[in-house]
Amino acid sequence: MDVQTSFFFSFAVLVMVLIVARLAQRLLGVHLGGFRVFLAAAIGFGLSGPIFAPIIGGFQNLRPGEDPGFGAVWVMVMLGMLAVLIPMVILVMAEALVPPGSIPGPIEVVKGLRGRISRGRRYSQITRIAIRHGLGPYLRGRGESLNDRSGKVRLARSLREALDDGGVTFVKLGQVLSTRRDLLPPEFVDELGRLQDQVAPLPWERIEPVLAAELGGPVDQVFAAFDRVPLAAASIAQAYTARLHTGEEVVVKVQRPGIGTVVAKDLDIVRRLAVTLESRTKWGRSLGMRDLAEGFAVAIREELDFRIEAANMAAVAATPSDQVTYPVPYTRMCTDRVLVMQRLNGKPLAGVPGESARLARDLLDTLLRQILLEGVFHADPHPGNIMVLDDGSLGLLDFGSVGRLDASVRAALQRFLMALNRQDPLGVTDALLEVVPRPEDIDEAGLERALGQFMARHLGPGMDSAAMFTDLFRIVSEYGLSIPPEVAAVFRALATLEGTLVRLAPGFNLITEARAFAGRYLAEQLSGTTLKEAVAQEAAALLPMVRRLPRRIERIASAAEHGRFSVNVRLFADERDRRYLTGLLHQILLTVLGATAGIMAVFLLGTEGGPVSVAALNLGLFDLLGYNLLVIAAILVLRVLVLIFRRREDVPS
């Protein structure tokens, strides 16, 4: 066979396989992966040869010039249906045994192999960092005892240095841990708190290309003056002071080069670990580790886009406060990796000696008003993001993490705080169930008792607020409640703020001050002017309904009096109900037709006699009809089976 003939033969086989694949998927009536369908068609085409060979060989017994008869056409039709039936059987078996997605395709395998190699390098790098800082024995559970304070200090310092070397994702992890005074000893909290603003800065030679590329020109041309020494170095970016040509003093925040790739790898590692914990551990499922990891990943990705931070800054600054100052962004100079904003003159809160209950109260009042009134709040108020300005007031920085609440959530949180102030377990329970999605089988009485005990532990005089949020989350988890991400951001911000307030004013009680805020807010709500406005708004909304109500009541009463009262109910008015019923009837019809064709095929194949249809194969008419009906029955049954297997995969286990 020459090359041209081989090419033509191969092309013809390929076309036939594609036709068989298309027909098989069309007859099954479901969408399957292209590679899976093509592979099934190729296997079926390869199996067709040995199966069809005896049948086709029977026609070789015909004498020259002998007419095989019209029955031979039906034999060819049956063989064609068999050629399509074989890949259909393979696809249905694959659907039952190897559902789509359980085995990756070749492209996914190549990408996955590349990703596994990259993750393996990152795993190795993280392990080496831990060992270099002396954390290896603790990872293996053989570390020294930490009964004395010096051992805790050494381990905390090693952990902080390892997290610092691990990169931005692990620095963020350390920042989160530094706010959990209820979980970690003070030595760890103090040491990890240094990650907020004491990350080793990158040299100017690595920062300058980022600035020039983002601002579209050399730094000396864009700014009238620029200080090359960083004002601060954080985990994601470094801040510099500069002056615009118009004379304004600004702070330029520049993202560290190359962190996007590292963060993506680390987030992939965190996500895979969360999936493993959720699938293999009970506590992982109760905490919703996968959702927590996804929320953490979304928050970090937003922090990597400084345009989002500029928009957040503008949104918070749109609600001015007499107690706290917000920097104004220069949006025309902001990009995804560079943020230019107004410079606030002062010192970071972490470096200011002394204490001030007034500033702590102002900070708490500002955050509560952002949460409960404006609905746009700073979600990460740790000490590194707060300044004490030269005039003695507070300045709020770093708006990479900002929460947003709609009016209904704000109203529910207001009721929650007011019920806490009254120490009303029933009101707290009702408000909490308005904030979180309500399960169908919740023990509401038990939840009310648990919240009553929670208030008795934490709302009494002289009580410590350190473990308050931990206990609240424990109650929420025990009763199967899932807190929405925006509400979780509120509690996380308040937990972070608690540590900040303690540093600003030791002995400051967040619970007492929050209850006082609730009392003041309640007094504002109950003032004459506010009540009058609320009543006027509700009356305006109800007025059209009140006008139509008497006429509708009269119509209903008249219809009932004269025996014409009826209720019009439209069955299957929802398109989803009609679609479900149509699909169910379709499957029932296919099952009945397939069973009928199969029974008829068995009867025909078992019937003796009858005219001979294909003499070369000694095949009677009843046998030919029976075999064709049997193939049709198999096709119909396979179409029903593939739908059953597909629905089984869609049902969560």
Side-chain angles (χ1 to χ4, degrees), residues 176 179 295 299 379-381 401 469 473 485 487-497:
V176 172
T179 65
D380 191 20
S401 180
F469 295 102
F473 276 108
V487 179
V490 172
F491 291 116
R492 185 171 63 249
L494 291 175
T496 304
L497 182 67

Side-chain angles (χ1 to χ4, degrees), residues 511-569:
I511 299 174
T512 302
E513 296 297 332
R515 293 177 63 184
F517 175 87
R520 293 194 302 272
Y521 176 74
L522 182 60
E524 293 177 8
Q525 293 293 92
L526 294 179
S527 65
T529 304
T530 306
L531 282 177
K532 183 178 179 180
E533 292 177 354
V535 171
Q537 292 175 358
E538 294 295 332
L542 291 175
L543 186 59
M545 184 187 303
V546 172
R547 287 178 176 175
R548 293 191 297 267
L549 188 60
R551 184 166 61 255
R552 291 182 176 179
I553 293 177
E554 193 275 333
R555 289 178 180 175
I556 293 174
S558 177
E561 180 181 1
H562 294 86
R564 298 193 304 269
F565 184 76
S566 61
V567 179
N568 185 16
V569 179

